[in-house]
Amino acid sequence: MQTLLSEADRSAFERLLTDLSARFVNAAPANVDAEITGALRSLVEFLGVDRSNLFQWSADGKILENTHQWVVEGCDPAPRFIAQETLPYALGKILEGRIFSYSSAAELPTEAAVDRASMGKHMPKSHLLLPLTAAGSVRGALTFGTVRHEGEWPGVLKERLAVATHDFATVDAMRKRVIR
């Protein structure tokens, strides 16, 4: 996994985020879904992770729907829907507007026992979930995971990806206005 330790890594990552933001701003409404998926692909490839997903809350706020994803060849995709009761610890953090991550399933706290049992054999070896906020409320989550190996989530990476979630929230809000 790309850890952004060197200045060159950070510069390349900043250029990627700037490029993604520009692509979102310039996206024609009909191309928004493709731009979101393309952005997930670019991030997965740069970071060296196995998958990334954009999840959004259902109207009743009880289910997260996997609306966009990019998965490397040979890895299973994330589930299409996640009920809040199946991942109460992780989704509780997201609903609080907090980033949730683990580099190894062994570091999950005992409070995450239901989450661990729900994910079972499909549990990523490392996972990063970032709240997707718009208009002051949590609308979903942007996630990154590794299923083939464990990986670290350095603070600078989490911070920069958290900033990037605003671009995803903005472009997705535009997509929803076009669909309605």
Side-chain angles (χ1 to χ4, degrees), residues 108-114 116:
L108 285 169
T110 56
E111 297 87 2
V114 172
R116 184 189 311 259

Side-chain angles (χ1 to χ4, degrees), residues 64 79 82-94 100-102 105 108-124 127 129:
L64 274 179
I82 299 173
Q84 191 170 355
E85 57 272 2
T86 61
L87 300 177
Y89 185 80
L91 297 184
K93 298 294 182 196
I94 294 300
F100 174 71
S101 68
Y102 60 86
L108 285 169
T110 56
E111 297 87 2
V114 172
D115 299 52
R116 184 189 311 259
S118 295
M119 285 190 268
K121 67 178 183 169
H122 300 291
M123 184 171 191
H127 213 187
L129 292 86

Side-chain angles (χ1 to χ4, degrees), residues 18-150:
T18 299
D19 178 59
L20 295 179
S21 183
R23 285 174 38 197
F24 285 161
V25 166
N26 295 315
N31 297 334
V32 169
D33 284 319
E35 289 296 339
I36 292 172
T37 302
L40 296 177
R41 177 184 185 169
S42 295
L43 288 165
V44 163
E45 290 173 349
F46 182 87
L47 297 172
V49 297
D50 297 322
R51 66 183 183 209
S52 181
N53 303 276
L54 181 68
F55 286 96
Q56 296 179 56
W57 287 109
S58 60
D60 64 7
K62 294 182 179 184
I63 295 175
L64 274 179
E65 180 182 0
N66 186 350
T67 60
H68 300 83
Q69 69 178 332
W70 183 260
V71 182
V72 298
E73 190 174 324
C75 288
D76 291 333
R80 182 82 177 124
F81 297 97
I82 299 173
Q84 191 170 355
E85 57 272 2
T86 61
L87 300 177
Y89 185 80
L91 297 184
K93 298 294 182 196
I94 294 300
L95 285 171
E96 292 170 2
R98 297 174 55 196
I99 295 172
F100 174 71
S101 68
Y102 60 86
S103 296
S104 165
E107 66 186 44
L108 285 169
T110 56
E111 297 87 2
V114 172
D115 299 52
R116 184 189 311 259
S118 295
M119 285 190 268
K121 67 178 183 169
H122 300 291
M123 184 171 191
K125 293 187 186 287
S126 67
H127 213 187
L128 173 63
L129 292 86
L130 303 130
L132 187 70
T133 58
S137 65
V138 177
R139 305 295 173 102
L142 179 63
T143 72
F144 298 89
T146 62
V147 295
R148 297 177 292 183
H149 57 81
E150 292 179 351

